[in-house]
Amino acid sequence: MVKNDNYFMYKAIYEAYKTSDSGDVPVGCIIVKDGKIIARGHNTREKKQCACDHAEINAIKKANKKVDSWRLEGCTMYVTLEPCPMCAGAIINSRLDKVVFGAHDMRYGALGGRINLLEGNLEYSPEVESGVKEKECADLLKTFFKKMRVKERTKSNPII
Amino acid sequence: MVKNDNYFMYKAIYEAYKTSDSGDVPVGCIIVKDGKIIARGHNTREKKQCACDHAEINAIKKANKKVDSWRLEGCTMYVTLEPCPMCAGAIINSRLDKVVFGAHDMRYGALGGRINLLEGNLEYSPEVESGVKEKECADLLKTFFKKMRVKERTKSNPII
C-alpha cells in the first residue's frame, strides 16, 4: 500500500474514533517521521477533564518522548481538524516540519480558518496542507454533533 | 499580608526559580481561585524534553486536576512572562477569568507583544493585566540569558 497523505489521514481518522466512548469531540492525530508513525493522539478533554488534552498536544507529547527531544524536525503531523490556537502554537513550538489537516474550522481554526497564526511573523513556520480527506473528517464531526443534539433534545423532552 | 497582584506575582517568580537546575528559561506561573493558590507550574521544556511543558500548561493541567474540570472559571493566572501563542490558546481553552503577566515578550508574546490572540474574535476572551512586577520578572530572564551567553563563550574558548 502506498503510504501517501490519504493513507496517513485515514490513520488519523481511525485515531479520532477512539473518542467514541468518552463524549469527546472526535479529533485524531498522528505524527510521522521517515514514513513511520511515531505517535498517535486523540482528543481526551472530556475524558481527562483537561483543557490541554487536544489530539495534537497528546500526539506531540508522545512524539517528544519517542525521539527524546522537544524538537520534532523532520516530522509531519496529520490531524483530522484544523488546529486551534493552542495546538497551532504547540506545532510551532515543537518545530514540526509540516502539518496536514482534514476539515477546516471556521469557528476556531488557527491556520487560516478563524485566524492564521502563521501570519504573525513568528520565528518558525511549518509547511501547511489542508483539505486532505476533508469530507470524511468533517462527516465524523457532523455525525457527532447530530448525536449530541438528539441527546440534548431527548434529555429536555424524555417522551421523544 | 495583603494578598494582592504583587503578592501573587512574587509567588510566580518564586516558581520560576525552580528552573535553575535544568537549564530551562525561568518562567513561573500560579493559578488562584477564591484567594488561594490552587496550582503552580514552571517551565520544564528542557528538563522533560517536551515542547508543550511551558509554565502555563503545567499549571493549567494541575488546576484542572484540582478542580476536576477542564473549565477554570473563577480563576486568575499569574505568570512572569507574557504567554506564547500555545499558552495564550490554552488560557482561552480553559476559560480562565483573568491573566496577569509580568514581563512583556515582543519576540513571542501572544497577548499584545508579538501578536494579540484576543483580537481574533475567538469565542472567549479572558481579562488581561500586564506589567505587574515587570522589572523583577524581566531581570530573571536577563540574568539567565547573560549566564547562557557566558557559558557559550567559555565553551567555544575554554581559556576564558
Side-chain angles (χ1 to χ4, degrees):
Chain A
M1 185 182 274
V2 185
K3 289 188 176 179
N4 55 14
D5 281 353
N6 287 346
Y7 170 88
F8 287 122
M9 190 58 82
Y10 276 124
K11 292 285 185 186
I13 291 172
Y14 179 78
E15 195 61 28
Y17 277 109
K18 295 185 182 171
T19 58
S20 63
D21 293 334
S22 62
D24 272 296
V25 177
V27 182
C29 177
I30 61 161
I31 295 175
V32 174
K33 190 174 187 178
D34 300 328
K36 282 181 189 158
I37 298 172
I38 62 162
R40 294 171 166 85
H42 58 276
N43 179 24
T44 53
R45 184 184 73 168
E46 297 295 334
K47 188 179 180 181
K48 301 261 182 85
Q49 284 299 313
C50 180
C52 307
D53 278 3
H54 284 194
E56 299 93 316
I57 301 280
N58 287 338
I60 288 172
K61 288 177 86 74
K62 284 181 192 164
N64 287 147
K65 267 200 181 149
K66 183 81 178 177
V67 301
D68 195 23
S69 171
W70 62 263
R71 291 176 176 273
L72 298 178
E73 282 132 350
C75 297
T76 298
M77 171 185 282
Y78 292 82
V79 57
T80 56
L81 180 65
E82 181 180 347
C84 77
M86 173 182 74
C87 295
I91 287 162
I92 294 167
N93 287 356
S94 64
R95 308 287 192 270
L96 273 154
D97 276 14
K98 188 176 174 182
V99 188
V100 182
F101 68 83
H104 290 80
D105 186 355
M106 309 312 280
R107 190 177 140 257
Y108 211 53
L111 292 179
R114 183 70 176 224
I115 58 169
N116 194 342
L117 260 193
L118 305 184
E119 285 171 359
N121 290 319
L122 298 166
E123 287 182 12
Y124 181 79
S125 277
E127 188 186 336
V128 178
E129 201 178 320
S130 64
V132 173
K133 292 289 153 201
E134 176 151 28
K135 192 188 170 307
E136 288 83 345
C137 293
D139 281 350
L140 261 173
L141 297 163
K142 277 181 201 161
T143 308
F144 171 80
F145 286 114
K146 200 174 163 185
K147 267 188 197 165
M148 290 288 277
R149 279 193 298 273
V150 170
K151 216 171 174 181
E152 280 307 306
R153 273 205 302 274
T154 318
K155 213 191 287 174
S156 59
N157 186 356
I159 296 167
I160 297 171
Chain B
M1 185 183 274
V2 186
K3 290 188 176 179
N4 56 15
D5 281 351
N6 288 346
Y7 169 88
F8 287 121
M9 190 56 83
Y10 275 124
K11 292 285 184 185
I13 290 171
Y14 178 79
E15 195 62 27
Y17 276 109
K18 295 185 182 171
T19 59
S20 62
D21 294 333
S22 62
D24 272 297
V25 177
V27 181
C29 177
I30 60 161
I31 294 175
V32 174
K33 189 174 188 180
D34 300 328
K36 282 182 190 157
I37 298 172
I38 61 162
R40 294 171 166 84
H42 58 277
N43 178 24
T44 54
R45 186 185 69 167
E46 298 296 334
K47 187 178 181 182
K48 301 262 182 84
Q49 285 299 313
C50 180
C52 307
D53 278 3
H54 284 194
E56 299 94 315
I57 301 281
N58 287 337
I60 287 172
K61 287 177 86 75
K62 284 181 192 163
N64 286 148
K65 265 199 183 150
K66 183 80 177 180
V67 302
D68 195 23
S69 170
W70 63 263
R71 292 177 174 271
L72 297 178
E73 284 132 349
C75 295
T76 297
M77 172 185 282
Y78 292 83
V79 58
T80 57
L81 180 65
E82 182 180 347
C84 76
M86 173 182 74
C87 294
I91 287 162
I92 294 168
N93 287 357
S94 63
R95 309 286 192 272
L96 273 154
D97 275 15
K98 190 176 173 181
V99 188
V100 182
F101 69 83
H104 291 80
D105 186 355
M106 310 311 282
R107 190 176 141 260
Y108 211 54
L111 292 178
R114 185 72 177 220
I115 57 167
N116 194 342
L117 262 193
L118 304 185
E119 285 172 358
N121 289 320
L122 299 166
E123 286 182 12
Y124 181 79
S125 277
E127 189 186 337
V128 178
E129 203 177 319
S130 66
V132 172
K133 291 288 153 203
E134 176 149 30
K135 191 186 171 312
E136 289 83 344
C137 293
D139 280 350
L140 262 173
L141 297 163
K142 278 181 199 160
T143 308
F144 171 81
F145 286 113
K146 201 175 164 184
K147 267 188 197 167
M148 290 287 278
R149 280 192 298 271
V150 170
K151 218 172 172 179
E152 281 305 306
R153 272 204 304 273
T154 317
K155 215 191 285 175
S156 58
N157 185 355
I159 297 166
I160 296 171

